[in-house]
Amino acid sequence: MQNKYYLTTPIYYVNAAPHIGHAYTTIVADLVKRFKTMQGYRAVLTTGSDEHGVNVERAAQRAGKTSKEYCDVIAAEFERQWQQLGLKIDHFQRTTSPQHARVVQDLFERCRKNGYIYKGAYTGQYCIHDNLYVNDAKPGDPCPDCGRPTETVTEENFFFKLSGFAERLLDLYDREPKFIQPETRRNEVIAFVKQGLNDLSITRSNIKWGIPVEGEAPHVFYVWFDALSAYMSAVEGEGLWPADLHLIGKEIVRFHAIYWPAFLMAAGIELPKRIFAHGWLLFEESKMSKSRGNIVRPEPIRRVMGVDALRYFLLREVVFGQDGSFSYDALVGRYNSDLANGLGNLASRTLTMIRQYDAGAVPAGVGAPAIAEQARQTVANVTAAFEEFEFSKGLEAVWALLSATDKYIVEQAPWTLLKKGDAGRKALDDTLYTAAEVVRIAAVLLAPVLPESTAKIWAQLGMTEALEAVRVDQLAWGQLPAGQRIGEVAPVFPRIDAKVAIPEMRALEEEEAARQAALLGKTVAPAPAAEVSPHISIDDFAKVDLRVARVLAAEPVKGATKLLKLTIDVAEAEPRTLVAGIAEVYQPEQLIGRKVVIVANLEPRKLRGITSNGMIVAASIEGGKPVLAGFLEDVPVGARLK
Ligand code: MSP
């Protein structure tokens, strides 16, 4: 009987198209699934889309679609994205599926039957953007997550008796120390629960776009009761529950580590085994998120550098569990140093020498004892590290083996050995066997992380068994058959020139952004019949000093979702600072170097503590979205518009 391993990612909100923050969790889940499969488990992965709530209702309205139409488009975009990235997803669960609704209703009925549900009045602050009730907030207080003002709501709802679960939850955390990982998150949750828990309102009567509470119209389930159930509904009847792992980002740890086990305990359902909450991917120093406008999409990276480059970067550069920064420079840097120079170089060098010195057949050599020993250790260390989600540590161990092998090859100097008679021939065979065996072992260990490129290396080594079917738990030194003919040798990681690749990715990023905006119906709508203001004289117009300027730097303004702080060159002695309300449409890096038109003689004014010297000129299209004015011909900075 094959053991099962069931794991999940969050089911993502459909109010934004996927970015590499979402890809991060999903890629790690794919890695864990591949790794577990290679350990002999029947590993099953669920992801999906979280489609209910006011936010989605509103986004759909803005896009001129019904909620369902809107969700269909975005859910399909997420699915497409995961397919393009080659992720091995078994279930893409949508919360709008009828089967999911039944599971949610059933969970509710079980909790109700067991006495954990009652009707009560709720008044409180709510952030519609994050679907978050903000406890202890006063009217007008900002949402702790996104900074937008919360709204006060009062309504009669169904409540879940969360207050009765504090002791049982603390017992659980105590009994199962790995239930919440990493340790920092576990401590946070324990401290929170120790303060005591309030009951939780789990339905809404003022939202239409939700799963109905049977026989209790107009109540619909509130997002978390609905969303968390997707983990179960996705695999209903498959004998996979309980989940072995919920992978999530750290901002939703409370929902997973407190609400979810409490709902399940109340319903008498088995609890998931582990929750691992990773850190945030930052871009330009803040959390990558659609509302901040600082997102990077996976598709341009895949197209220019390949999906393995992204996977490697995310897993090696960021310590899993902690926050980490994304930058194109670091992405290309890591690729060139570790993949092109490290792994790629060792593989192609080894295989080329086997072609050259052994007519393309693996020589019958004896592995160098020190390298063989290090390889054995590496298999054990990588397995242990991956078990504990210490991916960067595991990768470091593989790279230590690769560099020890590089060093060994240099010391052996195979190119000199042929001249040294029989002893030289034997030493050459030993050297090349050792190097090829390291390449094989590295390919197996790295297969979950770099599936595309390790499959290429595998084929070049002449292996015929599917790499994915190799058992990592049976991986041992010396399994490479001598005499095996190697395949066609070609570079797996060609070097990448940052000066070419980065602008290419940036350009594709803009294309992707435009494509996704169009998908959401956010295409530039025809201007509404414009109300033209009364006539002014030419002298009135002449008072407005319109100038061409170039953006030198751009950054988001803390706490303001619409504003960007720009440093611009207007051909004056000093660059100017200007604050522009364009952050929802333009990303800072898109603007750098761009020529814009400004009103240069507008009275300076202070916005969020920053003095804005002038105003940027943009067309205002439907929905109030700005489109920056620009020129088709090249125009010098400082030129006046007349
Ligand atoms: N719909 C809820 C989850 C319900 S699960 C039952 C939700 N959706 S979300 O679209 O906001 O996705 C949040 C998750 O996406 C994070 O928990 C994380 O897995 C991933 N990430 C989104 N942005 C991220 C970063 N900038 N960095 C790291 N992970 C990110 O919350």
Side-chain angles (χ1 to χ4, degrees):
M1 249 293 277
Q2 215 188 359
N3 281 331
K4 64 94 186 171
Y5 189 90
Y6 175 47
L7 77 161
T8 64
T9 75
I11 50 163
Y12 303 110
Y13 288 135
V14 289
N15 53 9
H19 56 70
I20 62 169
H22 306 112
Y24 182 41
T25 320
T26 319
I27 284 173
V28 172
D30 172 85
L31 179 168
V32 174
K33 174 181 162 161
R34 288 173 192 264
F35 177 66
K36 285 288 166 192
T37 306
M38 290 176 79
Q39 287 184 317
Y41 287 88
R42 179 165 79 93
V44 176
L45 166 58
T46 286
T47 188
S49 47
D50 189 352
E51 306 187 4
H52 292 125
V54 201
N55 238 356
V56 173
E57 230 172 29
R58 294 189 186 176
Q61 273 164 11
R62 276 198 305 272
K65 291 183 159 61
T66 66
S67 299
K68 180 67 169 61
E69 281 166 356
Y70 175 87
C71 290
D72 287 349
V73 171
I74 314 256
E77 181 65 10
F78 268 93
E79 267 196 282
R80 200 181 80 100
Q81 194 75 245
W82 304 146
Q83 262 169 18
Q84 271 175 331
L85 294 177
L87 305 183
K88 290 191 170 279
I89 285 153
D90 299 282
H91 296 285
F92 187 94
Q93 181 67 335
R94 300 185 53 181
T95 55
T96 46
S97 86
Q99 174 253 1
H100 171 73
R102 275 199 320 277
V103 170
V104 174
Q105 286 160 344
D106 181 58
L107 181 69
F108 179 78
E109 283 313 320
R110 281 164 172 258
C111 294
R112 192 181 207 178
K113 203 177 75 219
N114 293 341
Y116 294 104
I117 303 284
Y118 65 94
K119 246 183 188 176
Y122 181 90
T123 299
Q125 295 307 115
Y126 182 66
C127 171
I128 50 158
H129 180 78
D130 292 323
N131 285 317
L132 183 75
Y133 276 78
V134 186
N135 293 329
D136 307 323
K138 294 183 296 301
D141 275 0
C143 165
D145 258 19
C146 70
R148 293 179 170 86
T150 51
E151 291 180 12
T152 307
V153 291
T154 300
E155 57 184 50
E156 186 185 56
N157 287 328
F158 283 98
F159 277 71
F160 176 81
K161 283 190 191 164
L162 187 64
S163 56
F165 284 87
E167 281 312 312
R168 271 181 276 182
L169 287 167
L170 291 169
D171 278 354
L172 164 70
Y173 309 145
D174 197 40
R175 215 171 48 240
E176 306 284 348
K178 289 193 170 172
F179 181 71
I180 318 161
Q181 283 185 289
E183 198 62 20
T184 44
R185 302 277 96 86
R186 175 170 186 267
N187 294 338
E188 236 173 66
V189 168
I190 291 176
F192 187 83
V193 175
K194 278 190 174 158
Q195 291 172 357
L197 296 170
N198 293 325
D199 288 348
L200 198 73
S201 134
I202 57 165
T203 67
R204 290 289 169 274
S205 48
N206 61 358
I207 305 176
K208 279 178 209 63
W209 187 234
I211 295 171
V213 182
E214 278 178 310
E216 298 287 354
H219 284 274
V220 300
F221 288 99
Y222 161 60
V223 285
W224 284 101
F225 198 87
D226 168 355
L228 289 159
S229 307
Y231 297 145
M232 268 192 330
S233 68
V235 294
E236 202 195 8
E238 290 185 39
L240 288 165
W241 194 259
D244 295 274
L245 173 66
H246 292 315
L247 275 174
I248 56 170
K250 66 180 181 184
E251 78 290 353
I252 53 177
V253 73
R254 278 186 202 168
F255 306 114
H256 283 76
I258 300 173
Y259 295 6
W260 186 222
F263 295 159
L264 292 170
M265 284 176 188
I269 296 174
E270 268 192 278
L271 305 185
K273 300 265 193 297
R274 258 192 196 193
I275 296 163
F276 194 104
H278 63 69
W280 285 342
L281 218 51
L282 314 176
F283 188 49
E284 292 157 348
E285 279 148 48
S286 56
K287 183 190 177 206
M288 188 177 295
S289 76
K290 188 210 158 210
S291 48
R292 288 191 179 85
N294 60 339
I295 63 169
V296 173
R297 292 167 177 80
E299 183 54 10
I301 299 174
R302 183 191 74 83
R303 275 170 57 189
V304 176
M305 299 185 60
V307 68
D308 285 1
L310 175 63
R311 294 174 72 107
Y312 182 73
F313 175 84
L314 293 175
L315 290 152
R316 175 67 185 78
E317 186 86 7
V318 184
V319 175
F320 198 63
Q322 298 176 13
D323 291 353
S325 290
F326 173 85
S327 84
Y328 286 110
D329 281 329
L331 171 71
V332 176
R334 271 283 171 206
Y335 173 95
N336 281 333
S337 69
D338 297 7
L339 297 178
N341 287 352
L343 176 62
N345 195 32
L346 178 66
S348 74
R349 182 176 189 204
T350 302
L351 293 165
T352 307
M353 286 193 289
I354 292 180
R355 202 155 272 308
Q356 198 176 340
Y357 301 130
D358 291 288
V362 175
V366 179
I371 299 284
E373 183 48 34
Q374 189 175 347
R376 276 186 211 104
Q377 285 294 335
T378 307
V379 173
N381 292 345
V382 171
T383 305
F386 283 13
E387 260 341 316
E388 293 304 318
F389 308 99
E390 294 174 330
F391 305 111
S392 54
K393 188 169 158 196
L395 292 173
E396 274 172 40
V398 177
W399 261 261
L401 174 65
L402 299 180
S403 64
T405 309
D406 266 331
K407 194 159 156 258
Y408 162 75
I409 296 174
V410 172
E411 282 163 7
Q412 294 296 104
W415 41 93
T416 64
L417 292 173
L418 267 188
K419 296 176 208 127
K420 296 184 183 164
D422 284 353
R425 176 78 242 179
K426 161 119 190 21
L428 178 62
D429 288 353
D430 291 350
T431 308
L432 294 187
Y433 186 84
T434 303
E437 182 57 342
V438 166
V439 171
R440 182 188 70 91
I441 286 177
V444 175
L445 292 176
L446 296 173
V449 182
L450 306 170
E452 274 188 4
S453 33
T454 50
K456 289 184 195 158
I457 295 174
W458 197 244
Q460 294 188 20
L461 270 172
M463 307 299 296
T464 45
E465 183 188 6
L467 177 53
E468 290 165 10
V470 173
R471 287 285 293 265
V472 73
D473 53 337
Q474 291 162 12
L475 180 62
W477 181 267
Q479 290 164 329
L480 176 66
Q484 168 166 292
R485 299 213 62 79
I486 62 166
E488 184 97 4
V489 182
V492 177
F493 303 106
R495 273 193 77 80
I496 286 180
D497 181 355
K499 285 200 280 317
V500 179
I502 295 176
E504 212 178 321
M505 288 188 276
R506 288 217 158 103
L508 286 171
E509 173 69 37
E510 282 187 31
E511 252 178 52
E512 267 293 278
R515 187 185 63 77
Q516 288 177 344
L519 208 68
L520 295 178
K522 284 190 193 151
T523 31
V524 180
E531 271 182 45
V532 178
S533 323
H535 290 149
I536 58 165
S537 72
I538 186 89
D539 294 340
D540 287 337
F541 175 68
K543 288 185 197 149
V544 185
D545 188 3
L546 291 167
R547 299 271 175 177
V548 176
R550 186 205 305 275
V551 180
L552 300 175
E555 59 184 273
V557 174
K558 267 218 178 77
T561 50
K562 287 193 179 160
L563 300 182
L564 286 183
K565 178 182 166 194
L566 306 177
T567 309
I568 52 163
D569 174 16
V570 202
E572 296 168 325
E574 297 277 327
R576 292 188 185 208
T577 301
L578 186 149
V579 178
I582 56 174
E584 287 183 323
V585 182
Y586 294 91
Q587 292 171 29
E589 81 264 17
Q590 265 178 282
L591 293 168
I592 295 166
R594 181 163 173 162
K595 284 184 183 160
V596 292
V597 176
I598 64 156
V599 181
N601 61 341
L602 195 74
E603 209 166 9
R605 58 181 189 139
K606 244 190 174 151
L607 287 161
R608 301 264 171 168
I610 306 165
T611 306
S612 182
N613 288 297
M615 186 183 81
I616 207 154
V617 177
S620 177
I621 58 167
E622 204 180 50
K625 293 277 155 93
V627 179
L628 288 178
F631 298 92
L632 295 176
E633 288 83 16
D634 199 25
V635 193
V637 166
R640 183 159 187 196
L641 276 73
K642 298 192 206 177

